[in-house]
Amino acid sequence: MRNAAKITTAALAAGALTLGLSACGADSASTDGPLIVAASPVPHAEILNYVKDNLAEKEGLDLQVKEFTDYVTPNTATQDGSVGANYFQNKPYLDDFNKKNGTEIVPVVTVHLEPLGLYSHKVKKADDLKSGATVAIPNDTVNEARALKLLAANGLITLKAGVGNEATPSDITKNPKNLKFKELEAAQTPRSLDDVDAAVVNGNYAIESDLKPSKDALILESPKNNPYGNFLAVKKGNEDDPRVKKLAKLLTSPEVKKFIQDKYAGSVLASF
């Protein structure tokens, strides 16, 4: 199931590139044209559009935002030059993606954290989950491990000592509630809430689904020493592109920090 999901996502991503991005590849590879940035709709594209509408013109930056709902296409498009940068991911995910796909994407500047959370339409507290309850978790390698670590940090399961960012349900050593795990594409986890007892949902997909992580999550990741901050990324060698430097400066400006604080009220946390 997990491999099939990845193959399907990759195939869809390839199709999306062919249909939607072929016309803009040349301009995005040139430092003279607009900077085209691939982003998840929420909060990444919203933050970028705030920069575009309020800050970019003063810095002489022509910024274009391309929205994607999957976690594959933004990196493949950045690698092949269809876009000049992307903004949607964290370092463990990028490291895993580069390793598996032979890509050379590198981080430029970290902007924010979206805390991963456990949500439910059926219980009010994590401790209220019944024996044998089904919990949906993301099926990509890093987010699955991240979800399991969240559950372990809150005493719902125990993982093997030293397990890293490739943890799977097979690494669970203690499962006192005999939880069952349903592995889904990350974007599908909030949509599964009526069909499962609980779901671990990435922050951006939670917000898109009108969930408020700071209020609705049964348990939520701590921002302290959290390695999952989201950053602006480019293909290796493009870090010194003047347009990228301008965008990195704007994304870590006081104006953007205030925008994040005001709009997301703790559901997205500035990392600078």
Side-chain angles (χ1 to χ4, degrees), residues 14 60 70 91 114-115 133 188 206 247 264:
D70 71 279
K91 190 64 163 55
E114 302 159 27
Q188 299 297 323
L247 180 56
Y264 302 110

Side-chain angles (χ1 to χ4, degrees), residues 20-29 36 64 66 81-83:
L21 293 170
S22 58
C24 59
D27 286 344
S28 64
I36 303 172
Q64 294 184 11
K66 296 286 185 181
S82 298
V83 300

Side-chain angles (χ1 to χ4, degrees), residues 38-91:
S40 299
V42 180
H44 309 80
E46 290 180 343
I47 295 171
L48 287 169
N49 281 320
Y50 170 80
V51 170
K52 176 183 177 181
D53 295 341
N54 297 277
L55 306 174
E57 185 176 356
K58 294 178 183 177
E59 288 291 326
L61 175 64
D62 185 357
L63 177 62
Q64 294 184 11
V65 183
K66 296 286 185 181
E67 296 187 13
F68 295 90
T69 57
D70 71 279
Y71 285 167
V72 175
T73 317
N75 275 335
T76 55
T78 303
Q79 179 69 24
D80 72 15
S82 298
V83 300
N86 68 56
Y87 175 34
F88 77 100
Q89 65 193 319
N90 58 56
K91 190 64 163 55

